[in-house]
Amino acid sequence: ARRPKRTLGGRLARELAKETGRTVRLTSVAEVGAEAWMIPERQLPRLKPRYRPDIAIVIVGGNDVIHRVPQSDSVTSLVEVIEDLKMRGATVIVGTCPDVGAIGVIKRPLKSYLSHSSKTLASAQAEAALEHGARVVRLAEVVGPLFASQPDEMFSIDRFHPSELGYKRTAEALFPSLLAALGVHIDIPQGHYAPATA
């Protein structure tokens, strides 16, 4: 994205402010190329100890698949992140691993392998996140088909990261769970899951 307001976080913050009529403060410790282990070790420590977010959104997994991080290690790191953010008072929303095989520059048979690895990691992430009290949005299900059918529009010029439109569509896909986390009563679409305690 060329401007902060067109990033995923910027779009979510603006839409949330518009929908609720409330001021929204956005803090991002996102890091390009991050694997799951980097969040608790490098990203969360950048937050002030007294920082207390209402909602935290965690999207991770694509780089773990690409760099062949063991699934159990990836999920363990995600659980550590969820527990840290919950201790800070946040409702956590996990956007599960997208389908890395949908990236246009990747060819078969690697494409099939990465798709399978993405799906198995996403399932493991969803199960662990729900067990630990986080909400889940299965990104491959709710926004993945758009990336697969419109790669020229949904991916940026590097053909790997989302374009501004890709971020917009991903923000729209996450938004129902964001509202639900704030207690707004809405019909939750397919691909969104709440823990039993929510």
Side-chain angles (χ1 to χ4, degrees):
R2 292 177 182 168
R3 291 191 282 176
K5 70 179 185 178
R6 292 184 177 167
T7 62
L8 181 61
R11 287 185 182 280
L12 286 169
R14 281 177 49 231
E15 285 304 311
L16 188 57
K18 193 188 313 181
E19 182 75 21
T20 63
R22 296 167 60 184
T23 300
V24 175
R25 286 193 191 136
L26 171 67
T27 300
S28 176
V29 291
E31 193 175 313
V32 174
E35 296 171 8
W37 68 268
M38 296 177 185
I39 303 175
E41 291 193 22
R42 294 194 342 205
Q43 292 171 253
L44 291 182
R46 294 204 302 258
L47 297 172
K48 294 178 181 175
R50 296 172 62 117
Y51 179 67
R52 295 292 179 265
D54 294 308
I55 296 175
I57 298 174
V58 181
I59 300 175
V60 69
N63 288 305
D64 292 54
V65 169
I66 289 168
H67 300 142
R68 300 180 69 187
V69 174
Q71 180 176 294
S72 59
D73 292 351
S74 183
V75 172
T76 297
S77 295
L78 176 62
V79 168
E80 191 178 336
V81 171
I82 291 168
E83 292 301 326
D84 179 290
L85 292 167
K86 282 174 55 186
M87 283 179 57
R88 293 172 182 267
T91 297
V92 182
I93 300 170
V94 173
T96 59
C97 182
D99 180 3
V100 178
I103 297 170
V105 294
I106 298 173
K107 305 299 179 194
R108 294 188 186 282
L110 184 58
K111 181 182 279 290
S112 299
Y113 169 77
L114 292 175
S115 284
H116 175 74
S117 297
S118 300
K119 288 173 188 170
T120 57
L121 177 57
S123 293
Q125 287 176 322
E127 183 179 341
L130 290 169
E131 259 179 43
H132 289 270
R135 290 181 170 272
V136 168
V137 181
R138 296 197 64 141
L139 291 178
E141 185 178 334
V142 298
V143 77
L146 287 173
F147 279 86
S149 65
Q150 302 171 37
D152 292 341
E153 293 83 11
M154 299 295 285
F155 286 101
S156 66
I157 196 165
D158 69 3
R159 308 295 288 169
F160 183 77
H161 294 92
S163 64
E164 289 185 352
L165 179 61
Y167 284 128
K168 180 179 180 181
R169 296 293 180 246
T170 303
E172 290 168 354
L174 289 164
F175 200 62
S177 278
L178 191 60
L179 290 177
L182 290 172
V184 177
H185 295 289
I186 58 167
D187 291 331
I188 300 297
Q190 189 173 344
H192 293 247
Y193 304 90
T197 55

